[in-house]
Amino acid sequence: HVQLVESGGGSVQAGGSLRLSCAVSGYTKSRVCMGWFRQAPGKEREGVAAWDSDGTTTYADFVKGRLAISRDSSKNTIYLQMNSLKPEDTAMYYCAGTSRGGTWYRSQTYNYWGQGTQVTVS
C-alpha cells in the first residue's frame, strides 16, 4: 500500500522560500519517478519538477533556477526547495509517483498521489 504524504506548505511573502517534503512509504519497486505538481484555482494541474531513480532531475521552464528537487533515500523523502517565490506560485502542490514510465509532466503518467499541501505567496 503506497502512501505519499506532503508537508511544508504555508504562507510566505514574495521573494521568500519554502521547502516541501513528500514522505513515501510502501513503495517496493526500484525504478521510480517522483514528480511535484501544482494546481491553482481555476487552472489545470501542471508539472513542476521530477526526480527519477536513474539520477535525472527535470524542471518546468517557468521554475528553472528557482526550484530544486532532491531525495533523501535514508528518509524515503522527496523534497522541493522553492526560492524566490512569486505570487503566481500560489497553488496546491502535490507529490506523485510512478514506475510505469511516461512523460514526466503529464498527470496521467502517475498512479500514486499525495493529498497536497497549500503554498500561498503574497
Side-chain angles (χ1 to χ4, degrees):
H1 178 57
V2 176
Q3 280 192 312
L4 308 180
V5 180
E6 302 98 331
S7 61
S11 297
V12 295
Q13 292 188 338
S17 298
L18 283 173
R19 188 178 78 159
L20 307 184
S21 300
C22 174
V24 183
S25 61
Y27 219 112
T28 58
K29 296 185 177 181
S30 58
R31 177 64 195 276
V32 61
C33 177
M34 300 298 299
W36 282 99
F37 285 75
R38 70 184 187 186
Q39 187 167 21
K43 295 187 177 182
E44 292 187 356
R45 189 171 296 190
E46 58 184 1
V48 174
W51 174 91
D52 196 290
S53 53
D54 67 3
T56 59
T57 56
T58 315
Y59 299 92
D61 287 342
F62 55 81
V63 299
K64 279 185 179 178
R66 299 191 298 121
L67 274 61
I69 189 170
S70 62
R71 178 204 183 200
D72 185 333
S73 59
S74 67
K75 298 180 180 179
N76 285 331
T77 300
I78 299 290
Y79 299 101
L80 184 68
Q81 177 68 43
M82 305 192 296
N83 302 318
S84 302
L85 284 164
K86 306 175 182 180
E88 50 265 43
D89 294 320
T90 295
M92 184 71 80
Y93 283 71
Y94 298 91
C95 175
T98 183
S99 292
R100 57 190 184 189
T103 306
W104 75 268
Y105 54 82
R106 296 192 185 279
S107 299
Q108 299 89 327
T109 297
Y110 299 84
N111 50 341
Y112 300 109
W113 290 86
Q115 82 289 349
T117 185
Q118 177 68 38
V119 171
T120 302
V121 185
S122 59

